[in-house]
Amino acid sequence: MTKFSGSDNYVATDDLQLAVNAAVTLQRPLLIKGEPGTGKTMLAEEVAQAMGKRLISWHIKSTTKAQQGLYEYDAVSRLRDSQLGDDKVHDIKNYIKPGKLWEAFTSDEQVVLLIDEIDKADIEFPNDLLVELDRMEFSVYETGETITAKQRPIIIITSNNEKELPDAFLRRCFFHYIKFPDKKTMQAIIQVHFPDLKKDLLNAALETFFEVRDMPGLKKRPSTSELIDWIKLLVADDIPLETLQNKSIKEAIPPLYGALLKNEQDVEMLQKMAFIMRREG
């Protein structure tokens, strides 16, 4: 099987490559944790592309139930059709809607299944999928059939660490935490997105970004995705290099800071710090 080694669009550290390939070899779900905006969801997309496999994405919400990943039975529609005398009411399969796990299990070719932001769901959600992920099969109660995986999917599960996941679930996963990129790795990531960006502007932008990010007391530290958005704006607005070089956080608020900071407390703190630094300077 093809080994994952990153892609032209995704900079994967050696540790992350090792984690992906280990999970594939062990045939275990890969549980990816990390700050929001560190590329967890994009990883699944790139793994699928690099390995030439179809991606099936199941994006989890606070209201999502594990059963929805298997299938849903629409009893209301069946009752309505029975009242209307519709012939299809006699075949219960007409009211079974396959979920994402069903789709992945019944695919003739191996797929990559992304279970995105699993920590958004109820605490029982991961436990409710233990048997299905272990045995790679589940039963459809209404029809009596068993859906068994034709090919074991490559499963990538992401979490933003909003909730602790159950130990029984964690034991079944290969775990990797995506550390926030250091400056060298971040430089490589930015160059993937902006290959023509001048080196001086890139270095100045990174310097300002990490100064903002390293401010003590920030409620929401800017992420990789926010840095990419910020640089896109800097390029689009043709912000001069001197603006970044001469106006660090110690002297003034960086231009277009709204791309980096996402709440009023952090903006206010940045403004106060800039004021104090200017006064002391």
Side-chain angles (χ1 to χ4, degrees):
M1 180 179 287
T2 306
K3 294 278 187 181
F4 178 68
S5 58
S7 71
D8 292 340
N9 300 315
Y10 191 93
V11 176
T13 61
D14 291 343
D15 286 350
L16 180 55
Q17 293 175 36
L18 187 67
V20 171
N21 293 318
V24 171
T25 300
L26 293 172
Q27 296 188 325
R28 289 185 177 273
L30 173 62
L31 175 60
I32 294 288
K33 289 187 179 183
E35 288 183 34
T38 48
K40 299 184 296 296
T41 302
M42 189 178 178
L43 172 66
E45 298 167 0
E46 295 302 324
V47 168
Q49 186 173 358
M51 295 186 168
K53 300 186 184 299
R54 182 165 66 97
L55 175 68
I56 296 175
S57 298
W58 185 17
H59 300 289
I60 307 303
K61 302 177 181 178
S62 60
T63 55
T64 304
K65 301 298 180 187
Q67 178 65 33
Q68 293 171 301
L70 309 180
Y71 69 93
E72 292 182 89
Y73 169 50
D74 192 349
V76 174
S77 291
R78 193 179 186 208
L79 175 61
R80 185 184 63 240
D81 289 346
S82 69
Q83 292 170 339
L84 296 173
D86 195 319
D87 281 344
K88 75 176 186 178
V89 75
H90 300 297
D91 187 353
I92 198 170
K93 289 184 178 179
N94 290 322
Y95 305 94
I96 301 289
K97 180 185 176 184
K100 298 295 185 180
L101 265 72
W102 185 319
E103 184 182 349
F105 284 7
T106 55
S107 173
D108 291 328
E109 302 290 334
Q110 187 184 45
V111 300
V112 174
L113 173 63
L114 168 65
I115 304 178
D116 198 26
E117 298 190 326
I118 194 170
D119 52 325
K120 280 189 174 179
D122 183 86
I123 189 63
E124 290 304 318
F125 180 95
N127 281 337
D128 290 343
L129 289 176
L130 288 180
V131 174
E132 290 76 14
L133 293 180
D134 259 356
R135 298 182 182 175
M136 286 287 127
E137 67 176 29
F138 61 88
S139 298
V140 183
Y141 174 80
E142 289 78 8
T143 64
E145 64 183 317
T146 299
I147 305 299
T148 303
K150 295 180 180 179
Q151 303 278 346
R152 179 181 282 267
I154 297 170
I155 301 174
I156 296 177
I157 302 170
T158 72
S159 168
N160 287 328
N161 248 351
E162 291 181 10
K163 290 192 189 86
E164 285 295 321
L165 299 173
D167 288 345
F169 179 79
L170 295 175
R171 282 198 299 271
R172 289 162 169 83
C173 298
F174 190 94
F175 170 74
H176 182 75
Y177 184 87
I178 297 182
K179 296 177 184 176
F180 195 82
D182 58 22
K183 287 186 180 180
K184 184 178 178 182
T185 305
M186 188 66 85
Q187 191 170 32
I189 291 170
I190 297 304
Q191 286 174 333
V192 165
H193 292 271
F194 305 96
D196 299 325
L197 190 65
K198 291 181 180 177
K199 189 174 181 180
D200 287 347
L201 181 58
L202 171 58
N203 290 336
L206 285 178
E207 192 69 30
T208 301
F209 171 77
F210 278 103
E211 281 182 352
V212 172
R213 183 176 161 82
D214 292 341
M215 279 180 57
L218 274 188
K219 187 175 181 182
K220 161 82 173 67
R221 296 198 292 175
S223 67
T224 307
S225 60
E226 285 152 351
L227 172 60
I228 291 168
D229 286 346
W230 185 54
I231 291 179
K232 186 183 292 184
L233 288 174
L234 294 178
V235 172
D237 286 12
D238 201 19
I239 300 295
L241 174 63
E242 294 74 21
T243 303
L244 292 176
Q245 288 178 328
N246 298 332
K247 291 188 177 181
S248 71
I249 189 173
K250 296 176 182 177
E251 298 167 356
I253 297 174
L256 302 164
Y257 64 84
L260 297 175
L261 301 178
K262 301 299 182 180
N263 63 72
E264 62 276 14
Q265 296 99 313
D266 288 347
V267 172
E268 187 176 337
M269 188 170 72
L270 189 70
Q271 290 170 336
K272 284 181 179 177
M273 183 168 285
F275 173 76
I276 291 169
M277 292 297 181
R278 282 198 302 272
R279 188 173 63 181
E280 291 180 352

